[in-house]
Amino acid sequence: MTTLGVGGRARWFARATDVEEAAAAVKWSGDRSVPLFVLGGGSNLVVADGGFDGLVLQMALGGVDFRANGDATRVHVGAGEPWDEVVAVAVSRGLAGLECLSGIPGTTGGTPIQNVGAYGQDVSRSIASVTVLDRMTGATKVLTGRDCRFGYRTSRFKGEDAGRFLVCDVTFELRAGPPTLAYPDVITELERRRLTAPSPADVRDAVLSIRRGKGMVIDPTDPDTRSVGSFFMNPVVDAAHVPRLTSEGGGRAPAYELPGGRVKIPAAWLIEQSGFARGYEAGAAGISSKHPLAIVNRGAATARDVLALAVQIKRKVADRFGIWLRPEPAFVGFGDDPDVAFLQETES
Ligand code: NAP
């Protein structure tokens, strides 16, 4: 049930197709003091080899419903709907707002958790509201986009309220109109296709082709996609740090300026410059042959193999550049595992 394909079993498993089933599972686990883990598409998870000694609840609530709202269109989507299908149907109606988020695996309910983003778009800009089941009260409530306290690849669901809410559905507000063209990768691909006034569908096609080239679109025939996608987040550091970030040949690291004198550095560059080439092999785990940021299961990897490689990468990058990479996936069933603790450390 995960794209990485490592880890043991769940002690209990339930699949909720409506809010009542989800609430019943929450109550069942609460009444028995059984730990609960809420599963979406399993695309951002590393599960421990010993499995999860509790209830795994898969949120499989369905439904995609379009409604006109003045000059906008509201799209109400059940948490279990595959994300990329939602993007596909939105762009097929000429709606803009999600086109850059094409080819991202997982379910719609997972998108507000980490405020999924790519190529200059993120879901926080189009989310009107999120219906959640509050484990503290057992009741549902509707949170506005503002209530979700979105940040860069984060939200209250990952921060102060981690584990408290189950996302049941998400409502997006989209508009017909020009797509977002923010990143050179996308612009160049559209120019190559000679599309001077691209539609949201054109941008979707371009993004899919870029992502496929990086092994970032799940494809059972492509072993480079047996991963959690990006394993590490792109670090944000003080601008003063940048002159120290040079390659063996003396070249400067790519750096994107953010407000407040901070800069974002591609983790992929730091990893490659620390001696991990694409296609690097570490037993049954390895690095994608298409993207240095993806750790792959080469067939029979265990969670421990994946962690060992991630730890090795984090150590090397910290030694070489003084930057402590942070992992992007969630870790399930590891308890206070020292490797997981190290991966989550922010500094020595
Ligand atoms: P990439 O395009 O090689 O870019 C690497 C880094 O450079 C990213 O941090 C990206 O910022 C930054 N960057 C590139 N062009 C930029 C520009 N014109 N302005 C500002 N920053 C720029 O990255 P990739 O790993 O192949 O990923 C492609 C896209 O998918 C990126 O946008 C990445 O963030 C996104 N992605 C998102 C998730 C997620 O939501 N969890 C997971 C994997 C990848 P940004 O990160 O701000 O885009």
Side-chain angles (χ1 to χ4, degrees):
M1 292 206 158
T2 66
T3 53
L4 183 61
V6 302
R9 289 170 173 270
R11 172 68 183 82
W12 289 279
F13 180 82
R15 193 165 180 273
T17 55
D18 59 33
V19 174
E20 289 69 34
E21 286 177 358
V26 167
K27 183 170 182 316
W28 184 92
S29 66
D31 289 350
R32 289 161 184 79
S33 302
V34 164
L36 174 71
F37 179 74
V38 181
L39 176 70
S43 58
N44 207 31
L45 290 186
V46 185
V47 178
D49 293 315
F52 180 69
D53 191 17
L55 171 65
V56 171
L57 171 62
Q58 187 179 43
M59 293 297 274
L61 291 80
V64 183
D65 176 37
F66 288 79
R67 266 192 211 152
N69 184 34
D71 61 349
T73 299
R74 289 217 161 184
V75 195
H76 183 82
V77 187
E81 290 292 341
W83 171 249
D84 196 48
E85 292 176 19
V86 175
V87 178
V89 63
V91 303
S92 74
R93 290 171 173 243
L95 296 170
L98 306 177
E99 61 281 358
C100 295
L101 309 177
S102 294
I104 293 176
T107 53
T108 304
T111 62
I113 311 289
Q114 62 162 323
N115 185 15
V116 161
Y119 302 111
Q121 259 179 1
D122 62 39
V123 290
S124 75
R125 297 199 212 172
S126 43
I127 286 180
S129 64
V130 179
T131 307
V132 293
L133 178 64
D134 186 345
R135 289 175 65 185
M136 270 168 43
T137 62
T140 55
K141 65 175 164 188
V142 178
L143 303 176
T144 63
R146 177 186 283 260
D147 293 336
C148 296
R149 299 200 276 277
F150 289 119
Y152 182 66
R153 306 288 185 265
T154 193
S155 71
R156 69 187 290 182
F157 308 119
K158 234 182 130 173
E160 63 273 30
D161 285 321
R164 174 174 166 189
F165 297 114
L166 280 68
V167 174
C168 297
D169 60 57
V170 186
T171 301
F172 299 90
E173 184 156 299
L174 306 176
R175 283 187 166 72
T180 298
L181 294 175
Y183 274 32
D185 277 11
V186 179
I187 294 167
T188 310
E189 178 63 23
L190 290 162
E191 281 170 359
R192 205 182 60 73
R193 297 172 181 217
R194 298 183 199 289
L195 292 164
T196 45
S199 65
D202 294 330
V203 171
R204 170 175 169 76
D205 285 348
V207 167
L208 282 175
S209 130
I210 296 165
R211 290 185 63 95
R212 268 194 205 105
K214 295 181 176 191
M216 289 293 187
V217 179
I218 298 292
D219 173 353
T221 66
D222 181 352
D224 280 328
T225 69
R226 207 156 176 208
S227 76
V228 294
S230 300
F231 198 94
F232 293 100
M233 295 192 250
N234 295 307
V236 173
V237 301
D238 225 67
H241 210 88
V242 177
R244 285 192 273 145
L245 307 177
T246 51
S247 66
E248 290 293 344
R252 281 271 187 101
Y256 300 97
E257 283 176 31
L258 301 175
R262 309 279 285 164
V263 288
K264 185 174 53 185
I265 310 290
W269 186 90
L270 298 168
I271 292 169
E272 273 193 315
Q273 296 300 324
S274 300
F276 299 96
R278 290 154 205 234
Y280 180 90
E281 295 178 5
I287 293 179
S288 156
S289 67
K290 305 189 186 76
H291 200 318
L293 206 42
I295 292 182
V296 293
N297 173 359
R298 301 178 58 239
T302 61
R304 188 56 59 192
D305 296 331
V306 169
L307 289 192
L309 176 55
V311 163
Q312 202 192 344
I313 293 171
K314 175 160 172 153
R315 278 223 171 88
K316 277 268 185 72
V317 171
D319 289 349
R320 170 123 167 65
F321 294 111
I323 291 179
W324 286 60
L325 294 178
R326 302 276 314 282
E328 189 176 270
F331 296 92
V332 184
F334 287 94
D336 50 9
D337 186 277
D339 283 347
V340 173
F342 172 71
L343 288 173
Q344 279 164 341
E345 260 177 55
T346 46
E347 57 194 65
S348 55

